[in-house]
Amino acid sequence: MSTGVVFDVQRYALHDGPGIRTTVFLKGCPLRCLWCHNPEGQLGDPELVVRPERCLAECRACLSACPEKAIRKKAGRVRVDAGACRSCGACAEVCPTGALELAGRRISAADAVAEAARDAVFFEESGGGVTFSGGEPLAQPEFLEEMLKACRDRGLATAVDTCGYVPYEILERIEPLTDLFLYDLKVMDAAKHLKLTGADNALILDNIKRLVRSGARVVVRIPVVPGVNDDEDNIVRTAAFLKSLDSPPPVRLLLYHRLGCVKSRRLLRGRVGRVFPFQTAADMERVRRRYASLGLEVDKGD
Ligand code: SF4
Ligand code: SF4
C-alpha cells in the first residue's frame, strides 16, 4: 500500500473539471512559478505554516510541545526559528487557534480516495469526480497511480491537473487510468518561461504533443497573469502551438489572484513569488476573445 503527502482536500470544487468535484492536492512541484497560487504545495514534505496574528497572548502550549525548542513568544505572539524547526507538527497538534498548522500529511492511497469518495452521490448527479492537483500530482507517481486505480475500482471519474514538467514515461503510465488531463500552459517563450517558472518549457510542450497524439482527453488551462502571458505575442504563439497539435484541445483561462501571496507570507521558509497586478473582467474577456478569434475553443474561469 503506497502512501503520499497531501496538503488539502477541497470538496464541492467547481473549476477543476466537469461537474462537482473533490480536489486532492498533492505536495511537491518541480516548478517555481512566480504567481504560484499554492506555495504551500511546492515542497514535497510537510511544512509548518505560521499565522502569528491568531496566537493567543496567554497561551504557551506550543513552547513545551516543541522537541527542538524552536518556539518563543515575543510581544504575546508566537515566533518560530526556521533553522531549528523540523516540521514535526507537534506544536500544530496542541495549538487551539490554528496559529500553527502543518501543511501536508502523509496518508495512504486508499484513505485519500475514501475521503474523496464521500461526495460520490454529487459526482453522479453532476457528472463530476475526483481531481488530483497540487503542487504537481505527477511528482508522486506511485501514490497517484494507486489512487487512480482505487477511483476506477469505485467507478469514480478522475482528472489530473499537471504542469507537464515530468518524464513522459510517467504520463504514459497514468494515461490509461485517467479520464481527463487538465494541462497547464504558461508562457511560450523558452527564456521567459525559465525566468518565470525556474524551468525550460521544451519538455512541457513535447509532453502535451505526445499526450494529445496518444488520444488522451486534454483540457489546456492557462493562468492569465497580467504582464506575463496576456500579450499579443504570447497569445498568438500559444494558439499556433495548440492548433499544430493532432487535435487542438479546448482552452480554459484561469484568473490570476493574490491568495498565493497571502499564503506565501505564512511559510516558515520565507516569502516566495511575486505580486502581479490584478486583471479586470474586461482584460480577461479581451484575452478570451483573442484566443477565440484565432480558432480555439476557449472559456474563462471565475
Ligand atoms: S513543527 Fe517545528 S516548531 Fe513545531 S514542534 Fe515541530 S520542530 Fe517545533
Ligand atoms: S499553541 Fe498556538 S495559540 Fe498557543 S502560544 Fe502557540 S501559537 Fe499561540
Side-chain angles (χ1 to χ4, degrees):
M1 172 67 65
S2 93
T3 65
V5 183
V6 164
F7 68 95
D8 202 5
V9 176
Q10 281 180 10
R11 302 167 73 187
Y12 310 116
L14 296 173
H15 303 293
D16 292 330
I20 297 173
R21 312 194 69 86
T22 293
T23 304
V24 181
F25 292 85
L26 279 68
K27 283 274 278 172
C29 183
L31 302 186
R32 290 292 177 269
C33 302
L34 291 177
W35 55 86
C36 180
H37 285 176
N38 293 322
E40 76 278 35
Q42 290 177 347
L43 302 185
D45 291 322
E47 182 177 14
L48 191 68
V49 172
V50 186
R51 296 180 182 87
E53 70 282 3
R54 289 195 186 176
C55 182
L56 302 173
E58 65 277 13
C59 175
R60 297 180 69 78
C62 57
L63 276 71
S64 45
C66 177
E68 308 295 334
K69 304 288 171 240
I71 308 179
R72 65 194 169 87
K73 297 269 294 234
K74 193 175 172 194
R77 285 190 168 185
V78 69
R79 293 280 185 275
V80 181
D81 177 351
C85 174
R86 298 284 170 267
S87 291
C88 71
C91 56
E93 278 176 27
V94 299
C95 180
T97 64
L100 298 171
E101 273 181 358
L102 206 58
R105 59 186 159 116
R106 187 160 282 281
I107 186 170
S108 73
D111 285 350
V113 171
E115 198 174 325
R118 281 181 202 156
D119 292 324
V121 62
F122 298 113
F123 304 160
E124 275 168 31
E125 285 174 8
S126 67
V130 182
T131 297
F132 297 98
S133 183
E136 168 52 60
L138 295 166
Q140 300 185 61
E142 288 79 21
F143 180 50
L144 177 63
E145 190 173 7
E146 204 166 316
M147 288 193 291
L148 289 168
K149 281 182 184 160
C151 285
R152 186 145 290 189
D153 290 346
R154 286 170 176 260
L156 303 176
T158 55
V160 170
D161 174 18
T162 180
C163 71
Y165 193 69
V166 292
Y168 187 72
E169 294 64 41
I170 293 179
L171 277 165
E172 200 172 29
R173 217 168 86 199
I174 68 143
E175 189 275 324
L177 300 167
T178 310
D179 296 309
L180 172 68
F181 286 90
L182 304 171
Y183 200 106
D184 297 350
L185 284 188
K186 301 155 198 317
V187 178
M188 291 307 290
D189 183 84
K192 202 171 165 189
H193 194 281
L194 176 62
K195 201 169 150 197
L196 292 161
T197 72
D200 179 74
N201 60 359
L203 178 65
I204 295 168
L205 300 180
D206 193 49
N207 278 346
I208 191 173
K209 238 184 246 172
R210 297 173 73 178
L211 196 60
V212 168
R213 188 167 298 150
S214 78
R217 189 174 160 219
V218 176
V219 170
V220 166
R221 303 216 295 184
I222 303 175
V224 180
V225 186
V228 167
N229 60 0
D230 60 347
D231 55 285
E232 175 70 7
D233 178 64
N234 188 63
I235 292 172
V236 168
R237 287 171 71 177
T238 304
F241 171 76
L242 291 174
K243 285 167 71 182
S244 76
L245 301 180
D246 284 2
S247 162
V251 173
R252 185 162 178 84
L253 304 178
L254 303 177
L255 193 70
Y256 165 74
H257 59 69
R258 290 182 181 165
L259 187 57
C261 305
V262 175
K263 294 197 270 185
S264 163
R265 285 201 289 270
R266 301 172 185 152
L267 297 176
L268 200 52
R269 66 187 142 109
R271 286 187 193 193
V272 295
R274 248 176 51 201
V275 179
F276 293 89
F278 285 118
Q279 71 272 67
T280 62
D283 294 335
M284 280 297 274
E285 181 55 17
R286 172 188 64 79
V287 175
R288 188 199 68 76
R289 279 175 193 246
R290 188 63 183 119
Y291 274 114
S293 76
L294 293 164
L296 293 172
E297 181 192 332
V298 58
D299 69 4
K300 56 184 178 5
D302 301 322

